[in-house]
Amino acid sequence: MMTVDVALTKIQEAERGGRLSATAAAGMKRWLEEAPFARYREKLLHDVEAENWKQLDNAFFTVLEFGTGGRRGVMYPIGTNVLNDRTIAESARGLADYIQAKKGPGAACSCVIARDTRHNSPEFAELCARVMAAAGVKVHLFKDARSTPLLSFAVRHLGCDAGIMITASHNPPADNGFKCYAATGGQVIPPDDAGIIACVEQASDRDIPEKSLEDGLADGSIAYAGPEVDEAYIQAVVGESVSHARGVSIVYTPLHGVGESSVAAALKADGFMDVNILASQRTQDGDFPNVPNHVSNPENPSALAAAIAEARATGADLVLASDPDADRVGVGLPKTADPKGEWTTLDGNQIGVLIAAFVMKQYADRGRLRPDHYLVTTLVSTQMAKALARREGVRIEDDLLVGFKWIAERIDAAGPVGFLFGFEESHGYVKGTYVRDKDAAVASLLFAELAATCKDRSQSVLEYLDDLYVDVGHYGERLINKTYTGREGLDKIRSLMKAFREAPPKTVAGLPVTEVYDYKTHEIRDLVGSGEARPLPQPSGDLLLFHTGREGVRFAARPSGTEPKIKFYLFARTAVDGPDSLPAAKADTEAVLDQMTRDIEKYLEDVK
């Protein structure tokens, strides 16, 4: 093994040769020379000797940030821009320091910690517990894998000051993450996020003490969360039921994640007895071996393919799928009355408007729908939700940035008593106030009740969706994801956002792009006339929302806060003049979205 001095020389040479960025070289030098990183020195020396410059540059060129879902990224044993023992420990210690400073000297603090089925999740969760306990924080630790919404529930149920969820949601197997929750049960938001980040930065400069798990369990600073928390959570989910219909057969897949303990348990507790848990994807496994491309994302139709094949073979009515930490849900349905025929999947917006419409209708039929009830959704979710809310006479809070933490915040700000249902286009849904995060369990329960209710009246769910389109117009959405990894990828994403901000497309789908709502500069800029800018109030984030010359046709651009992606959200609407005109309206909407997709793809190709 080479010496530290030789390694430092090689690092300097790699930087001069352009194989390492200056920031990566500085970070590696620090990890080689400073005491807090001594335990990682051997691995770093090995990588320098092997000249793994690309890997090292990606691992050290920056510090992994807290985004819309906390800290999430690729796992690697060393580095500041990846998930490893050091960055996890810094995150936990920073959180401990922040909640203690916020409550004041001598105040008792507590934190609940859970984790999913990913690689290193058990180790990371235990590490967080050891670090928090050493810092003087009482820890409630789930011994086995649990869902993210259960963690949100547990924070509230146990009266904790914070929560930690070790998960990377639906990311590839190489990823993991540290999701941080406030005492509300919601993910941290300003100003807490900035305060935690500052404390994490301070923790990165020093040794981080750990208490052994055995000592923590012995002295009571660490305690395992018991089954009573799970039972209370399931009771809370079932309490959100809106229908007595149960006559559907379901194929459910947890996609190798934790969903059997939440989604399947809630369905059973709610009286759905005909639930077939897909055997090939039932085992908890961080490699997600029996999912296409090993990506357990229910947003992808391919992730539901095996469950749909099982449903066709067995004549089931409905397919439900949850992601590894069971906060998102995907849905598959037969296209006709014959479940052995052709099937389709729903996108996140369709699932959201179906549940929203169903819940509002059930409340209205029972005389429970009140004028103070409201829905919550985001700026990049379908505008159909607003039309449905208007139809039922309730308001909608739809001016939120991407990230379920903003929906959780709005529930508390607008008043939990009137909250009816919330969703975002990326397959996240919640009903009720028992959590402050999306929950695949309650979404699955409600969708199963919707499917059973439709079946009782000899109507398919797709026919029910068509009825909604006839009432409020046909809405269609499309998502374009572009992935750019590493330091070069970050630069590419920034350059694309700069291009859309400074020189956006003049037309899409043959329509003039008339104005842009820029939530970073807080301006509404005219793009076809005087070019004048009007002030745009909160929220504040890196989001561009473009409007066109046709009502309901617009698109948005934003960098992801949790993945190395830039995302483009496309929206179109076509008026529907009765059931007979619906097929033509659908074709028109799809044609507009197809052309918008081609135009934006062409624009992306032309950006240098």
Side-chain angles (χ1 to χ4, degrees):
M1 181 78 61
M2 68 168 54
T3 65
V4 170
D5 288 340
V6 172
L8 291 171
T9 300
K10 287 181 70 69
I11 289 169
Q12 290 176 339
E13 292 172 350
E15 181 185 355
R16 285 196 296 267
R19 296 185 296 278
L20 279 178
S21 63
T23 53
M28 292 164 63
K29 181 175 183 292
R30 182 172 172 234
W31 276 47
L32 284 173
E33 294 181 330
E34 296 183 15
F37 312 103
R39 71 172 74 174
Y40 309 101
R41 192 169 294 150
E42 182 178 348
K43 171 60 177 171
L44 181 50
L45 288 171
H46 175 275
D47 277 14
V48 171
E49 187 171 30
E51 299 185 354
N52 293 333
W53 304 125
K54 181 70 173 178
Q55 177 66 62
L56 288 168
D57 191 61
N58 286 338
F60 280 95
F61 84 93
T62 189
V63 175
L64 190 63
E65 296 181 355
F66 277 76
T68 55
R71 225 174 185 181
R72 190 188 302 182
V74 175
M75 290 179 284
Y76 197 67
I78 54 173
T80 57
N81 188 44
V82 288
L83 267 295
N84 52 46
D85 286 353
R86 178 66 196 187
T87 53
I88 288 288
E90 290 172 357
S91 301
R93 183 63 199 225
L95 176 60
D97 291 345
Y98 180 76
I99 61 175
Q100 289 175 322
K102 186 176 181 179
K103 292 194 74 173
C109 295
S110 60
C111 178
V112 57
I113 301 172
R115 51 90 176 177
D116 67 6
T117 63
R118 288 179 173 273
H119 297 304
N120 296 320
S121 283
E123 293 80 7
F124 286 164
E126 183 182 314
L127 173 59
C128 287
R130 300 199 310 269
V131 169
M132 298 290 281
V137 176
K138 166 72 177 182
V139 174
H140 303 270
L141 176 66
F142 282 96
K143 192 172 185 179
D144 300 314
R146 288 293 187 271
S147 72
T148 292
L150 174 63
L151 184 278
S152 173
F153 172 83
V155 172
R156 299 172 63 85
H157 184 73
L158 297 171
C160 292
D161 301 290
I164 296 171
M165 182 69 196
I166 302 298
T167 182
S169 189
H170 54 273
N171 281 36
D175 291 1
N176 215 324
F178 176 100
K179 293 182 77 170
C180 182
Y181 286 77
T184 61
Q187 295 175 49
V188 293
I189 57 174
D192 289 337
D193 56 351
I196 293 169
I197 290 168
C199 288
V200 171
E201 289 175 353
Q202 293 169 11
S204 69
D205 293 328
R206 63 182 193 265
D207 286 314
I208 300 175
E210 300 172 19
K211 178 181 286 189
S212 74
L213 181 64
E214 293 75 15
D215 287 348
L217 291 170
D219 66 22
S221 59
I222 300 174
Y224 287 123
E228 66 277 2
V229 181
D230 298 272
E231 293 165 4
Y233 162 75
I234 294 298
Q235 289 176 5
V237 173
V238 173
E240 297 304 323
S241 169
V242 297
S243 169
H244 298 299
R246 297 291 180 271
V248 287
S249 57
I250 301 168
V251 173
Y252 165 66
T253 172
L255 297 175
H256 293 300
V258 304
E260 188 168 351
S261 68
S262 59
V263 176
L267 288 170
K268 180 179 179 180
D270 196 38
F272 288 94
M273 295 294 102
D274 193 356
V275 179
N276 172 8
I277 302 176
L278 187 67
S280 64
Q281 297 171 349
R282 188 172 189 172
T283 305
Q284 295 185 356
D285 191 327
D287 283 323
F288 316 125
N290 297 318
V291 182
N293 301 314
H294 306 285
V295 177
S296 291
N297 186 353
E299 297 179 57
N300 299 335
S302 61
L304 278 67
I308 288 175
E310 175 73 7
R312 290 181 66 185
T314 59
D317 301 301
L318 174 66
V319 161
L320 296 169
S322 57
D323 64 346
D325 64 327
D327 60 354
R328 302 172 193 254
V329 68
V331 173
L333 295 164
K335 284 188 173 182
T336 68
D338 179 13
K340 295 186 179 294
E342 191 174 354
W343 281 59
T344 189
T345 58
L346 299 180
D347 65 39
N349 285 305
Q350 291 172 320
I351 298 170
V353 297
L354 279 164
I355 298 177
F358 177 61
V359 168
M360 287 189 289
K361 186 67 166 61
Q362 293 298 106
Y363 270 58
D365 287 350
R366 299 179 185 183
R368 295 173 55 195
L369 192 64
R370 307 188 310 266
D372 67 315
H373 273 133
Y374 63 94
L375 307 178
V376 187
T377 188
T378 68
L379 286 161
V380 299
S381 298
T382 178
Q383 289 288 289
M384 188 173 174
K386 177 181 285 187
L388 291 169
R390 187 184 301 118
R391 183 188 73 166
E392 298 297 337
V394 303
R395 79 178 193 275
I396 186 167
E397 306 272 343
D398 62 351
D399 59 340
L400 281 67
L401 295 174
V402 176
F404 224 85
K405 62 184 178 181
W406 305 117
I407 293 178
E409 180 195 34
R410 184 60 58 89
I411 293 169
D412 287 321
V417 171
F419 173 64
L420 197 59
F421 181 68
F423 78 95
E424 59 182 358
E425 53 76 36
S426 55
H427 292 244
Y429 315 93
V430 69
K431 179 182 179 293
T433 56
Y434 64 97
V435 288
R436 290 296 186 274
D437 210 346
K438 53 189 174 288
D439 188 356
V442 77
S444 296
L445 180 150
L446 292 170
F447 206 96
E449 291 185 351
L450 164 62
T453 301
C454 287
K455 186 177 180 181
D456 282 353
R457 61 190 184 215
S458 299
Q459 182 186 41
S460 73
V461 174
L462 294 178
E463 289 170 340
Y464 178 61
L465 180 59
D466 282 347
D467 286 348
L468 299 179
Y469 289 142
V470 172
D471 280 354
V472 300
H474 183 258
Y475 290 77
E477 295 78 31
R478 194 77 57 83
L479 177 64
I480 302 174
N481 277 316
K482 295 295 181 182
T483 301
Y484 303 100
T485 60
R487 175 164 51 95
E488 296 85 355
L490 181 61
D491 290 341
K492 178 66 173 178
I493 291 170
R494 287 171 175 166
S495 70
L496 287 173
M497 286 301 296
K498 184 174 187 288
F500 273 90
R501 183 165 275 118
E502 297 179 356
K506 295 184 182 301
T507 63
V508 292
L511 301 167
V513 180
T514 56
E515 62 181 2
V516 58
Y517 285 56
D518 190 333
Y519 289 90
K520 185 175 184 179
T521 64
H522 294 286
E523 294 178 323
I524 303 173
R525 293 190 293 275
D526 178 29
L527 300 177
V528 294
S530 64
E532 293 182 355
R534 311 190 308 275
L536 178 66
Q538 298 292 329
S540 182
D542 197 1
L543 171 68
L544 297 168
L545 183 58
F546 295 91
H547 293 260
T548 72
R550 173 172 160 178
E551 184 180 357
V553 178
R554 61 182 193 167
F555 66 96
R558 61 172 283 270
S560 172
T562 56
E563 299 172 276
K565 292 180 179 180
I566 184 169
K567 297 188 173 188
F568 301 92
Y569 305 82
L570 283 54
F571 306 88
R573 176 189 182 274
T574 305
V576 180
D577 185 19
D580 291 342
S581 68
L582 182 57
K586 287 182 176 181
D588 181 72
T589 302
E590 289 302 305
V592 172
L593 291 171
D594 287 343
Q595 189 58 53
M596 290 176 74
T597 302
R598 289 191 290 268
D599 291 345
I600 290 176
E601 291 278 10
K602 179 64 168 59
Y603 179 90
L604 293 172
E605 291 175 3
D606 293 341
V607 174
K608 303 302 182 185

